[in-house]
Amino acid sequence: MSEATIRELEPGDGPAILRFAAAVPAHDLLFLARDIRNERVVSAWLAAAAGDTMPSLVATDGEQVVATAALLADPLGWSPHVAEVRLLVAPEWRGRGLGRQLLDRCIVLAGERGAAKLVAYMTPDQRGAIILFEEAGFRAEALLRDHVRDADGALHDLVLLSLDRGRAVRMAEAYR
């Protein structure tokens, strides 16, 4: 495998995102609020990214998307200081540092946008993802039982991890 290139999501990335999502195991998509295998969902995502309301990154290998990351915050809601990180890496690209690169960029981007707290959701069996986020300073905050339903109707728990960005920055500076 070659090295992936990380860049901002572009308006023309829709078809590549749909191919990427179709190739990822459906269980790996359960933490997302919406199913990115749906063309309307991807169109809404592209519009939000272009409108700067959901900054998003993709990692590509040639024309193929191999990972995505998005930062979602609601500046008009009750928690404008909180940003949700959505990160998805193709199974064959996991364990190579790509997820960490994307997560690190999201943490920096969140700081640039004024987010004091970051959150991420995943299913409890996604051990690699949990370890990745914990290594970046995220900590388990909640277990949401039977929170998502898969296409077959089975219910799954979600884990909520969070990061106090200010604390993480202070820790990183202490180790420099």
Side-chain angles (χ1 to χ4, degrees):
M1 274 188 234
S2 60
E3 190 72 22
T5 301
I6 297 174
R7 61 170 173 77
E8 290 184 9
L9 183 68
E10 298 173 354
D13 285 333
I17 293 288
L18 289 167
R19 286 190 300 276
F20 166 70
V24 172
H27 182 80
D28 289 359
L29 302 172
L30 290 177
F31 73 94
L32 298 171
R34 295 181 177 173
D35 186 352
I36 63 169
R37 297 172 298 180
N38 180 305
E39 188 173 340
R40 288 181 54 207
V41 170
V42 172
S43 292
W45 178 13
L46 292 169
D52 205 34
T53 58
M54 189 185 319
S56 301
L57 302 169
V58 292
T60 59
D61 180 21
E63 298 297 314
Q64 181 182 3
V65 170
V66 298
T68 63
L71 196 61
L72 180 61
D74 183 359
L76 302 177
W78 293 109
S79 302
H81 64 290
V82 178
E84 179 185 345
V85 177
R86 295 180 179 170
L87 176 64
L88 184 61
V89 178
E92 63 273 16
W93 282 82
R94 294 175 188 165
R96 300 179 57 193
L98 184 56
R100 183 56 190 252
Q101 290 177 50
L102 287 165
L103 180 55
D104 288 347
R105 288 192 185 196
C106 284
I107 292 169
V108 169
L109 186 56
E112 292 171 356
R113 292 175 164 263
K117 179 177 181 178
L118 281 80
V119 297
Y121 297 91
M122 56 207 70
T123 56
D125 61 330
Q126 292 175 313
R127 290 299 313 149
I130 291 170
I131 291 168
L132 170 70
F133 278 80
E134 286 178 340
E135 287 176 348
F138 283 74
R139 296 294 172 251
E141 189 165 311
L143 175 66
L144 308 173
R145 296 196 186 281
D146 297 335
H147 198 72
V148 294
R149 184 183 313 268
D150 66 22
D152 296 325
L155 295 171
H156 299 271
D157 298 343
L158 280 184
V159 174
L160 169 65
L161 301 174
S162 68
L163 172 71
D164 174 335
R165 232 192 108 278
R167 181 176 176 270
V169 168
R170 289 188 302 276
M171 287 175 59
E173 288 172 351
Y175 287 104
R176 285 187 188 166

